[in-house]
Amino acid sequence: MGFGGIIGQDRVIALLRRALRADRLAHAYLFVGPGGVGKRLVALALAQAANCLRPLPDADACGACAACRKVAAGAHPDVRLLTPEEGTLRVEQVRALREEVGRRPYEGRRRFALLDPAEALTEQAQNALLKTLEEPAGATTFILLAQRAGGLLPTVVSRCQRLAFSPVPESLLARHLAGEGVPADRAVAVAALARGSVGNALALAGGAILESRDALLTRLFPALERGPAACAEVAEEIARDRESLGEALDLLLTWCRDLLVTAVLGHPGLAANRDRADALRGAAARFPAAALAEAVPAVAAAREALEANANPRLTCEALLFRLRDLLIPASGGNGDATRREGELRRPGA
Ligand SMILES: [Zn+2]
């Protein structure tokens, strides 16, 4: 696809283009950033640009020559992508790679070895790799792709030029989805849930994410009003499906953020879920902004706790009880929510 088709990584790409133009590519790069934000695409585009038979003036690949097509198809003899075998990148794989990169390129100008994800390298494999990185072969570039550098040996990390990949901004994701034919409101709502990943955004846009959102909200908010037993029941329901649990909390998080934005501004114009503008307007008018401002971090904290392997049912239950305390003033709780509502209810709400 070339650099031109990659969204949201302009800074990293500009740096690599400069290195290509000056013929000063590093022997080893460490691409660090969240999953799905384009690390592998950028690595392959770099391999294409360095080996393209008809490179474009701005140091990008043509995308159409034999070399570009081979890289894209995973069939270029000078561009290797190492992925885990049975969960790890093993020392044997790294040794075989070392043999290979010691030789001159077969048909291109520069060899590339991509290790994805680098976190899968065993310690033994990292030590084998280290030897190669210490004595770089001429026309070879290693690219280690990782979500976090923490799992790698500091000696490996220090031998790589580190490039940080950021989550793709929601506005760019939304524009991209719209360009792919997704209706504008749906594109905005989906982009907010894609966690900065083009891949996620496309997958979500094709799925039933907004329908899941509506189903969740229809169950959750009435349960907050009905009482603790209803909250516990819905919490158990949400927690039962581990696959969709993270998604459910992401949905709830963007919804609570939208409620807060709508409550503060008095309109849902900046909301991610603006396809549900009427529902947002109605709900935002019922809850005090101060309580919503506390609900947002409460949901975010539950999301983080789950990623750190907290018990799903207990986490969901605690979250729903907390939301009930915050948002339903008559719920008893510790009384804070009740007082806040008296003090801070928006005029006219
Ligand atoms: Zn080309």
Side-chain angles (χ1 to χ4, degrees):
M1 94 167 14
F3 291 134
I6 298 171
I7 300 157
Q9 303 302 344
D10 297 354
R11 201 182 49 79
V12 165
I13 289 172
L15 192 144
L16 292 172
R17 277 184 157 142
R18 277 200 300 278
L20 276 165
R21 276 197 297 265
D23 195 21
R24 293 174 64 105
L25 283 185
H27 285 290
Y29 289 99
L30 173 59
F31 287 3
V32 185
V37 301
K39 296 192 296 292
R40 194 188 279 192
L41 286 178
V42 170
L44 289 171
L46 178 63
Q48 278 184 324
N51 286 302
C52 178
L53 304 175
R54 292 192 296 273
L56 305 178
D58 55 352
D60 202 352
C62 76
C65 71
C68 283
R69 286 204 312 269
K70 280 185 192 173
V71 173
H76 196 294
D78 296 318
V79 180
R80 283 273 177 264
L81 169 64
L82 246 65
T83 53
E85 290 174 4
E86 292 166 8
T88 58
L89 284 165
R90 294 173 304 114
V91 67
E92 293 81 4
Q93 290 174 274
V94 172
R95 286 201 187 117
L97 189 66
R98 270 172 59 190
E99 289 269 305
E100 217 177 284
V101 299
R103 302 188 215 114
R104 297 165 61 80
Y106 280 110
E107 57 176 61
R109 295 188 292 277
R110 193 169 188 89
R111 284 185 182 276
F112 284 84
L114 281 51
L115 293 94
D116 188 13
E119 291 102 322
L121 285 160
T122 63
E123 195 172 331
Q124 216 186 352
Q126 289 189 55
N127 278 314
L129 180 65
L130 188 57
K131 288 201 189 111
T132 315
L133 298 181
E134 279 168 343
E135 306 153 15
T140 297
T141 291
F142 283 86
I143 307 179
L144 282 65
L145 300 93
Q147 298 213 13
R148 276 170 286 274
L152 296 167
L153 295 176
T155 41
V156 169
V157 173
S158 70
R159 292 228 156 33
C160 300
Q161 184 178 339
R162 184 171 169 159
L163 298 182
F165 283 64
S166 321
V168 181
E170 286 175 25
S171 55
L172 287 184
L173 288 176
R175 209 183 309 154
H176 181 64
L177 291 175
E180 297 284 309
V182 178
D185 278 354
R186 187 176 176 87
V188 169
V190 166
L193 295 164
R195 314 196 108 206
S197 155
V198 180
N200 281 351
L202 288 170
L204 291 173
I209 183 78
L210 300 187
E211 295 69 20
S212 305
R213 172 199 63 191
D214 295 344
L216 174 75
L217 298 174
T218 310
R219 277 179 302 157
L220 195 140
F221 280 89
L224 296 184
E225 303 209 18
R226 290 214 313 276
C231 287
E233 194 182 308
V234 170
E236 197 183 341
E237 244 175 75
I238 298 172
R240 202 177 296 141
D241 185 358
R242 283 220 73 155
E243 290 276 295
S244 66
L245 178 55
E247 182 182 288
L249 289 193
D250 284 346
L251 287 166
L252 183 57
L253 185 58
T254 55
W255 186 258
C256 287
R257 272 194 197 132
D258 280 355
L259 287 177
L260 177 59
V261 169
T262 306
V264 170
L265 298 180
H267 64 80
L270 293 180
N273 296 283
R274 69 185 73 146
D275 61 315
R276 297 289 313 273
D278 285 345
L280 279 172
R281 231 178 261 117
R286 287 175 45 219
F287 304 124
L292 291 169
E294 286 191 61
V296 171
V299 181
R303 181 76 176 93
E304 272 171 37
L306 280 173
E307 288 203 338
N309 278 324
N311 177 295
R313 192 181 57 79
L314 295 179
T315 307
C316 287
E317 204 174 280
L319 173 62
L320 263 62
F321 287 171
R322 175 79 182 129
L323 292 178
R324 178 174 147 78
D325 275 357
L326 286 170
L327 299 175
I328 314 295
S331 68
N334 54 16
D336 285 354
T338 315
R339 276 200 301 281
R340 254 193 316 274
E341 174 169 74
E343 290 159 14
L344 295 169
R345 183 187 278 277
R346 281 190 304 110

